[in-house]
Amino acid sequence: MLAEAVKAFAPTSRPKNQEFINTVESASKIVQPDTPVNDPFSIVSQEMSTLAKNIGSLLGSGHPTLNKVALYYFQSEGKHVRPLIVLLLSKALSEIPVDQRDRGSRDESDSVSAKPMLGEGVDDPLSPLSILNEVNPNIVLNPLSRPMSALPTESNGILPKQRRLAEIVEMIHTASLLHDDVIDNSASRRNQPSGNIAFGNKMAILAGDFLLGRASVAIARLRNAEVIELLSTTIANLVEGEFMQLKNTAVDTTTQANRASFEYYIHKTYLKTASLMSKSCRAAAVLSGARDPVVEAAYVYGRNLGLCFQIVDDMLDYTVTDAELGKPAGADLKLGLATAPVLYAWEQFPELGNMIRRKFESPGDVELAREYVRQANGVEKTRELAVQYANDALKQLEILPPSDALEALKKITMAVLNRKK
Ligand code: FPP
Ligand code: MG
């Protein structure tokens, strides 16, 4: 099953130049807006402006220092791309006529049923197993559907539970950053000393745990078992992805080694970054009451966007300075990480295999690997891969009715691809 999943996430072919040009052209055609949307942020600015305050009210601990550490990253200038996407998608989903948003709810408040249904036993999964186990989803029609009584009131097209979902996603992401900076022994984030530097490893880890604990309460209060299951799985996925990264690629000396390492990298990237985006997009669609094909499209959109996001991140690590990034640049090779640019260079320079295996630890490895990446156009190839994923994400949006929010989603997808930090 894992192998199938890996195959599904891995690019089937690496684009040649003409293919690349076509891909960019078709991507930009898709994003020609019917209605001009200048700033995707403005459509949900009200919700975005209350994000940090609402998270703050979810956090309150009896211990002032714990509050301070847990809130630390929310006070700096972040991109907040995850909540922005959840809010824009929720608003775009609200344009689907209400009579087509009749997805069965697994809300506990609705769950009075005469006979037990699949999904109500403690061992029954509510979300399709393929989604929970990271297998590329075929469209599995969920037999659990039953009518939702009435949709609660939307404000600006966004349900209160979807707004809370956006806040929860940012809390989970921030918890993972606090932990990640300890693991990476990072010195800065968002142009400030990172949490581990400002407060020490122990407090940074505990603040991350506290955020996760509070996020879990907020998740439970969504009172939707399928959404609870999706979000809980993302937390496990983040850890699995980070663990795969720590363990590094199981590279061997066969001719298949490069391909296997690339598949490992994409799978790790899905777990580490794209699962939070894919499952939160899916959760926003579940909460909207949309039917299964829309829920699936939301999931696949989030998965492709998440993969694009991290691949761009891995590319920027090679191309941008510390000051521009607001965090240490050129960090991946120093951390022993073989990301897309170096994996592409390995195709041309087999000697990189040994360097990857020893995590670039011998003197001169980092510099030589960087030179191979330059000679093999590893950065350019990485960007082409990111374009493919952005394009695949945009295609999923075709299922949604036209709206300003939809145009904003397309814009934000391109912004993720073209970002410089
Ligand atoms: C940033 O990666 C880190 C992540 C996307 C996920 C990190 C996940 C964990 C540490 C597992 C623990 C999870 C939770 C929920 C507590 P990066 O190092 O490539 O990016 P960076 O350059 O921004 O640090
Ligand atoms: Mg890091």
Side-chain angles (χ1 to χ4, degrees), residues 313-356:
D313 220 64
D314 294 344
M315 182 188 80
L316 293 176
D317 189 68
Y318 281 79
T319 57
V320 177
T321 63
D322 292 19
E324 287 165 308
L325 269 186
K327 60 184 182 183
D332 288 344
L333 287 172
K334 290 181 204 150
L335 288 167
L337 301 178
T339 59
V342 93
L343 291 173
Y344 279 125
W346 184 15
E347 287 174 354
Q348 205 169 315
F349 297 100
E351 50 273 48
L352 269 169
N354 280 331
M355 292 161 66
I356 292 171

Side-chain angles (χ1 to χ4, degrees), residues 24 34 107 151 213 239 245-246 252 284 309 338 346 371 386 403 415:
V24 175
D34 298 320
D107 272 25
L151 288 173
V239 177
Q245 178 164 297
L246 272 185
D252 59 32
F309 184 93
W346 184 15
E371 179 54 22
S403 69

Side-chain angles (χ1 to χ4, degrees), residues 48-360:
M48 289 301 288
S49 66
T50 53
L51 185 84
K53 187 173 127 285
N54 290 346
I55 291 175
S57 65
L58 288 172
L59 281 184
S61 136
H63 199 295
T65 313
L66 182 51
N67 278 336
K68 198 170 152 192
V69 188
L71 279 169
Y72 183 60
Y73 281 153
F74 295 108
Q75 281 147 1
S76 51
E77 216 26 73
K79 293 186 279 290
H80 305 306
V81 66
R82 293 158 186 81
L84 184 57
I85 285 161
V86 167
L87 292 169
L88 288 174
L89 179 62
S90 300
K91 194 164 161 56
L93 287 160
S94 75
E95 301 289 338
I96 299 174
V98 176
D99 63 354
Q100 289 171 35
R101 282 190 276 143
D102 51 3
R103 181 184 178 78
S105 165
R106 259 73 82 204
D107 272 25
E108 281 169 20
S109 48
D110 296 347
S111 69
V112 188
S113 86
K115 46 180 171 154
M117 299 172 72
L118 180 65
E120 287 179 352
V122 283
D123 291 329
D124 292 345
L126 291 152
S127 309
L129 272 175
S130 55
I131 301 301
L132 295 173
N133 293 342
E134 308 321 322
V135 174
N136 189 30
N138 296 315
I139 294 180
V140 181
L141 290 174
N142 199 319
L144 299 170
S145 301
R146 61 194 138 110
M148 216 191 241
S149 37
L151 288 173
T153 328
E154 291 165 349
S155 149
N156 187 26
I158 297 164
L159 294 163
K161 286 185 184 185
Q162 291 171 319
R163 183 182 44 71
R164 180 48 48 85
L165 171 68
E167 292 154 6
I168 291 167
V169 167
E170 191 64 1
M171 287 166 81
I172 297 174
H173 170 61
T174 306
S176 81
L177 293 183
L178 281 162
H179 285 193
D180 180 70
D181 285 338
V182 171
I183 294 170
D184 291 350
N185 196 17
S186 188
S188 57
R189 180 170 296 279
R190 299 172 183 168
N191 287 312
Q192 287 195 97
S194 43
N196 47 312
I197 298 298
F199 306 102
N201 283 352
K202 292 178 188 175
M203 281 201 221
I205 291 288
L206 289 172
D209 290 342
F210 182 67
L211 272 171
L212 280 187
R214 287 288 203 235
S216 303
V217 175
I219 293 169
R221 291 204 181 149
L222 292 175
R223 304 283 187 253
N224 183 305
E226 185 168 7
V227 172
I228 294 170
E229 193 171 271
L230 285 165
L231 294 176
S232 308
T233 307
T234 66
I235 298 175
N237 288 163
L238 286 171
V239 177
E240 289 172 295
E242 192 71 7
F243 222 88
M244 280 179 84
Q245 178 164 297
L246 272 185
K247 224 180 136 274
N248 212 354
T249 317
V251 281
D252 59 32
T253 50
T254 68
T255 49
Q256 299 303 312
N258 181 268
R259 175 79 191 163
S261 299
F262 213 96
E263 288 172 356
Y264 187 95
Y265 164 73
I266 295 291
H267 190 52
K268 173 211 81 175
T269 302
Y270 172 77
L271 291 170
K272 184 180 116 171
T273 306
S275 74
L276 185 55
M277 294 199 186
S278 61
K279 290 191 175 76
S280 58
C281 286
R282 189 178 180 92
V286 167
L287 290 171
S288 78
R291 292 175 183 168
D292 281 351
V294 175
V295 171
E296 289 295 334
Y299 171 75
V300 180
Y301 167 74
R303 191 185 72 197
N304 284 303
L305 182 69
L307 285 166
C308 171
F309 184 93
Q310 187 61 46
I311 289 165
V312 169
D313 220 64
D314 294 344
M315 182 188 80
L316 293 176
D317 189 68
Y318 281 79
T319 57
V320 177
T321 63
D322 292 19
E324 287 165 308
L325 269 186
K327 60 184 182 183
D332 288 344
L333 287 172
K334 290 181 204 150
L335 288 167
L337 301 178
T339 59
V342 93
L343 291 173
Y344 279 125
W346 184 15
E347 287 174 354
Q348 205 169 315
F349 297 100
E351 50 273 48
L352 269 169
N354 280 331
M355 292 161 66
I356 292 171
R357 263 184 290 278
R358 60 177 183 252
K359 297 192 171 186
F360 312 102

